[in-house]
Amino acid sequence: MEDIQMNNFQIKSHIHDYEVEFIGDTGETLKSVIKEGDWIIIDNNIKKLYAENLIPILNENKHISIDAVEARKSYQGVESIIKVLIEGGFRKNHRLIAIGGGITQDITAFISSILYRGVYWFFFPTTLLAQCDSCIGSKTSINFGEYKNQVGGFYPPNKIFINPHYIDTLSEGEMKSGLGEMLHYYIVSGPEDFQFYKKYFKSAFTDKEILASLIERSLQIKKRYIEKDEFDRNIRQVFNYGHSFGHAIESLTHYRIPHGIAVSYGMDIANYISVKLGFIPESVRNEVRKVIINFWSGYEINEINIDAFIKALSKDKKNVGKQLGLILNKGYGKIFKNVMDNNEHFRGWIEEYFAKELLF
Ligand SMILES: NC(=O)c1ccc[n+]([C@@H]2O[C@H](COP(=O)([O-])OP(=O)(O)OC[C@H]3O[C@@H](n4cnc5c(N)ncnc54)[C@H](O)[C@@H]3O)[C@@H](O)[C@H]2O)c1
Ligand SMILES: [Zn+2]
């Protein structure tokens, strides 16, 4: 890129290796990548917001624009896209090009993995969450009815093009969500990475170069784990840190709380339980909490009912039989899975957390 110097890198995958490239002008890159017969699947908001840069290319190429809403990420939602592709002459040697956030990614990845038993696809992530996290790692899930991300597989893009300038038009909530999501990578990684994040995350709201280096580092951390455990069978599971509690918060607030903000609450709750179990001193929890509370204003969760919260946790995919499989904290770089009873003790800690630890 002209103004922000970033390092491109390769990811090894059991499906196919792929590259992450940092770019400055999506239009120019698209022109050099797209070939006759390729189709673009683009988020309607991006099409509107970046019309000047993209419309000339969209006009010259086949494209489908979609509303990035969870309902679209479903069997019903992908059906009409597959129909248009098949009837519009899309062939196995053509490629799909996704431009948008995680919803556009999941839809395109899912279709690419099943259509003609697999076609090539490229991804231009446009949200912070997609740039710092979901764009790598191969997961391709769609929703099943009201159940999120229940159907899918592993099918990475053939190439990812990250343009940090897309962040300019994100709302503050989406920005905080991306930064909240990013934080869990830095805590999982170790003390140096956490300190790096702590030092720079506030500047990332206004300084694109700092944001770009936080994105790059976050992906580098994720890369280490997904290259060893692409299919999420063992070590990659530490990235569920904050997520069991976070998913419960998302669903109980009917997705009013953006994913990465829910995960930030989730990390604080995981740390609270980790203190109770003697895994970390209060000082570690407080140091992380000082960062996390920056994401909470405007996203209060006081209305959550404890019974419903415990019930949601008891259904988590990572549970072991009737026991809770929670990712807890033994210190920076020492995040681990702890299997524990979902008993009165645990319930007491959760009640105490909701009664005393929420600021609002
Ligand atoms: N496959 C994976 O590994 C993975 C990982 C994490 C999340 N996800 C999925 O990703 C989805 C969430 O994705 P997301 O948070 O990236 O965003 P999104 O795709 O849900 O989009 C959120 C909103 O932001 C808008 N938007 C996108 N880019 C924008 C920009 N540059 N400026 C202004 N508005 C913009 C969209 O139109 C939409 O209204 C969820 O469905 C989640 O399950 C998938
Ligand atoms: Zn997440």
Side-chain angles (χ1 to χ4, degrees):
M1 335 188 13
E2 321 88 46
D3 46 353
I4 307 170
Q5 273 310 314
M6 304 302 301
N7 300 308
N8 304 335
F9 58 92
Q10 282 277 128
I11 310 242
K12 289 197 193 335
S13 157
H14 290 93
I15 299 128
H16 49 239
D17 294 354
Y18 52 106
E19 192 189 11
V20 176
E21 181 179 335
F22 288 86
I23 60 165
D25 185 325
T26 304
E28 286 304 310
T29 306
L30 255 178
K31 269 192 244 163
S32 67
V33 163
I34 201 157
K35 288 200 212 137
E36 175 89 34
D38 293 349
W39 281 69
I40 297 169
I41 299 182
I42 184 167
D43 178 328
N44 263 324
N45 282 332
I46 295 297
K47 188 174 163 181
K48 267 184 240 141
L49 288 165
Y50 297 90
E52 203 183 316
N53 186 248
L54 298 175
I55 293 291
I57 297 152
L58 294 176
N59 285 344
E60 278 181 24
N61 292 280
K62 295 183 172 170
H63 75 278
I64 299 170
S65 44
I66 55 168
D67 285 338
V69 291
E70 290 290 338
R72 197 58 152 124
K73 219 181 93 170
S74 61
Y75 276 124
Q76 297 76 11
V78 300
E79 219 179 291
S80 57
I81 301 175
I82 294 175
K83 187 171 157 48
V84 171
L85 289 171
I86 293 176
E87 292 178 353
F90 185 80
R91 300 278 176 267
K92 190 166 166 73
N93 63 313
H94 298 148
R95 293 95 45 93
L96 293 179
I97 300 172
I99 311 177
I103 290 187
T104 312
Q105 169 187 348
D106 275 340
I107 291 171
T108 311
F110 185 76
I111 295 174
S112 302
S113 70
I114 57 171
L115 190 57
Y116 311 138
R117 293 190 199 89
V119 296
Y120 281 14
W121 74 287
F122 300 123
F123 184 32
F124 292 77
T126 62
T127 60
L128 182 51
L129 195 126
Q131 294 192 348
C132 74
D133 172 19
S134 70
C135 67
I136 66 169
S138 318
K139 289 186 181 176
T140 67
S141 318
I142 60 166
N143 305 325
F144 186 80
E146 64 186 285
Y147 307 104
K148 251 192 85 126
N149 293 341
Q150 297 295 304
V151 180
F154 293 89
Y155 197 72
N158 295 82
K159 189 152 177 182
I160 297 153
F161 300 94
I162 298 185
N163 180 350
H165 293 289
Y166 275 124
I167 307 306
D168 292 342
T169 49
L170 283 186
S171 66
E172 200 190 328
E174 270 149 11
M175 204 46 213
K176 287 177 177 171
S177 177
L179 284 166
E181 180 80 280
M182 239 192 247
L183 173 60
H184 88 290
Y185 288 112
Y186 286 86
I187 295 176
V188 163
S189 180
E192 293 84 15
D193 272 313
F194 174 71
Q195 291 306 327
F196 174 74
Y197 179 95
K198 187 175 131 182
K199 185 166 173 198
Y200 291 113
F201 80 98
K202 277 195 185 155
S203 322
F205 281 92
T206 48
D207 185 327
K208 209 48 52 59
E209 291 195 26
I210 287 181
L211 181 67
S213 48
L214 280 172
I215 292 171
E216 184 189 346
R217 182 68 198 145
S218 173
L219 292 175
Q220 293 280 2
I221 297 168
K222 184 169 179 181
K223 170 185 151 86
R224 285 206 309 255
Y225 287 77
I226 58 178
E227 285 186 339
K228 289 201 191 106
D229 179 24
E230 186 170 17
F231 302 126
D232 209 3
R233 292 190 183 120
N234 43 69
I235 60 162
R236 186 175 173 177
Q237 292 191 13
V238 292
F239 292 139
N240 270 295
Y241 176 47
H243 279 66
S244 303
F245 299 112
H247 288 147
I249 292 167
E250 280 182 281
S251 81
L252 295 174
T253 58
H254 307 287
Y255 298 95
R256 180 177 57 76
I257 307 295
H259 176 73
I261 298 178
V263 168
S264 75
Y265 278 112
M267 287 187 277
D268 194 39
I269 301 173
N271 292 351
Y272 193 74
I273 303 294
S274 302
V275 171
K276 293 289 180 192
L277 291 169
F279 294 141
I280 45 168
E282 193 72 44
S283 58
V284 170
R285 170 172 118 78
N286 285 337
E287 188 180 28
V288 177
R289 188 175 157 90
K290 252 189 170 163
V291 172
I292 285 172
I293 52 173
N294 288 283
F295 308 136
W296 290 354
S297 153
Y299 296 96
E300 293 75 22
I301 58 164
N302 305 59
E303 85 260 25
I304 287 179
N305 172 282
I306 303 295
D307 285 333
F309 190 73
I310 302 276
K311 195 169 161 203
L313 289 176
S314 72
K315 291 194 175 140
D316 195 88
K317 278 190 279 210
K318 300 284 181 288
N319 288 345
V320 182
K322 288 203 160 158
Q323 289 189 300
L324 295 171
L326 294 173
I327 308 296
L328 298 181
N329 190 345
K330 280 189 180 174
Y332 305 115
K334 294 181 197 152
I335 302 301
F336 73 108
K337 182 168 176 175
N338 186 61
V339 178
M340 62 188 287
D341 289 339
N342 187 355
N343 57 18
E344 279 309 305
H345 254 321
F346 179 75
R347 189 196 161 87
W349 293 333
I350 296 293
E351 277 174 357
E352 195 178 89
Y353 180 88
F354 276 87
K356 293 196 200 143
E357 299 296 324
L358 299 174
L359 300 176
F360 314 99

